[in-house]
Amino acid sequence: MRGSAHTALLAHVLPLCGVLGQTLGASKRYVGWGIVGDVPRGDTEEYRSLVRTDYRFRIQEDYVRYSIDIRINPCKDEIIAAGMGIACCSGTSIAGCQHHPEVDGGPDLQVAYFQNAHIPNCKGTPFEADHNCGTFLEVHRLGDRKILADMGIDQIDFPSGYQTTRLAIHRLCVGDHELWWVVRTPSGPWVKKIRKFFVRSPSCSGPAGLAPPPEAGLPRPAIP
C-alpha cells in the first residue's frame, strides 16, 4: 500500500516540478558581472589606461577564411551618397560605401566596417562588463600601440552588409594614423585588420626641446 501511494504521489509531483523548472529556466538571465562600482567611461585617459595593449597580430589575406573591411568617411561625397546622406553605407554592399583616407581632426569621424563572419562578443559571459573583452575599432598613430580612440562594434553578431559608427578624433594631430580591428580576449588583444589614414589638420604643439619655427612676415625695421 505504501509503495503504491508513493508512486501515485510521484506521478502527481514530478509533472509540477517539470513545469516549475521550465518557468525558472525561462526567467533566468545570465548577465555576467554588470557594472559594479566606478567604471571609467569611454574616451578618457582613465579608461584607456585599463585597456591592454600587449597586442598580437593575426592579419590574413581577404577571402582566405573570412574578410574584414574598414572604410573611412564612407558618405563624404553627397553626390555619390545621393539621398541616403550619412546612412549611405548602412546595411549595404561595398558599392554604397566610399573611402576617403584623408581627414581633418574634429569631434568625430564616420567609419564603416564589415566582416562576413560572426563578430566575437562577450555578452552573457563573466567578462561582459570588462573593457578588455569584445570586438573594437581602435585609432592609433602609425606603428604606435597607444590607443587614441576606440569604439565597440560587436552589438550585432551577424550584421548584414556594412555597418557604420563614429570615432572621436578631436585629439588627433597632423600625420599618419591607423584604424585597427581588434578582438579583445581574456588572454590578450588580437589585431585582425589595419587600415591607414592621414590627418591633414590641425597641427599640434611640438615636443619639449623642439626648435621654434621661423617668424612669419617681414622683419622689424631697424628704427630706434
Side-chain angles (χ1 to χ4, degrees):
M1 184 68 180
R2 176 181 296 181
S4 59
H6 182 66
T7 302
L9 179 61
L10 288 177
H12 178 71
V13 171
L14 287 178
L16 295 178
C17 293
V19 172
L20 179 60
Q22 293 175 4
T23 303
L24 291 176
S27 62
K28 183 179 179 181
R29 293 293 181 269
Y30 186 67
V31 296
W33 286 344
I35 303 297
V36 179
D38 296 328
V39 177
R41 62 183 181 85
D43 199 31
T44 62
E45 290 298 331
E46 186 180 7
Y47 160 79
R48 284 186 290 275
S49 68
L50 299 177
V51 179
R52 293 177 59 172
T53 57
D54 52 334
Y55 297 101
R56 287 173 286 181
F57 295 80
R58 183 179 289 173
I59 301 174
Q60 62 160 18
E61 294 294 330
D62 288 337
Y63 304 110
V64 176
R65 293 190 179 91
Y66 51 84
S67 295
I68 296 175
D69 191 25
I70 306 172
R71 299 264 154 172
I72 310 292
N73 242 352
C75 301
K76 178 182 178 180
D77 192 320
E78 296 180 358
I79 296 178
I80 298 177
M84 297 296 293
I86 60 175
C88 74
C89 189
S90 297
T92 69
S93 67
I94 194 174
C97 303
Q98 308 164 37
H99 180 58
H100 301 276
E102 289 193 5
V103 304
D104 295 304
D108 55 23
L109 172 67
Q110 186 183 38
V111 298
Y113 58 93
F114 167 81
Q115 178 172 287
N116 63 344
H118 175 260
I119 296 181
N121 63 72
C122 301
K123 291 179 289 188
T125 74
F127 302 97
E128 185 171 6
D130 192 344
H131 301 314
N132 290 295
C133 199
T135 304
F136 291 77
L137 289 180
E138 300 179 358
V139 178
H140 296 258
R141 291 282 293 188
L142 180 65
D144 191 348
R145 297 190 174 211
K146 181 181 179 181
I147 301 172
L148 301 178
D150 68 345
M151 179 62 65
I153 56 171
D154 55 8
Q155 293 81 10
I156 304 176
D157 297 348
F158 289 97
S160 176
Y162 282 78
Q163 305 295 312
T164 59
T165 188
R166 291 186 176 272
L167 290 161
I169 57 172
H170 57 272
R171 62 175 56 86
L172 303 190
C173 304
V174 170
D176 293 308
H177 292 76
E178 296 176 329
L179 261 180
W180 292 8
W181 180 297
V182 181
V183 179
R184 300 176 185 172
T185 73
S187 62
W190 289 87
V191 180
K192 311 293 285 187
K193 182 78 173 183
I194 294 178
R195 172 72 76 180
K196 296 181 179 180
F197 67 101
F198 182 77
V199 177
R200 297 175 296 197
S201 67
S203 60
C204 301
S205 57
L210 185 68
E215 294 184 3
L218 297 174
R220 293 184 178 184
I223 300 177

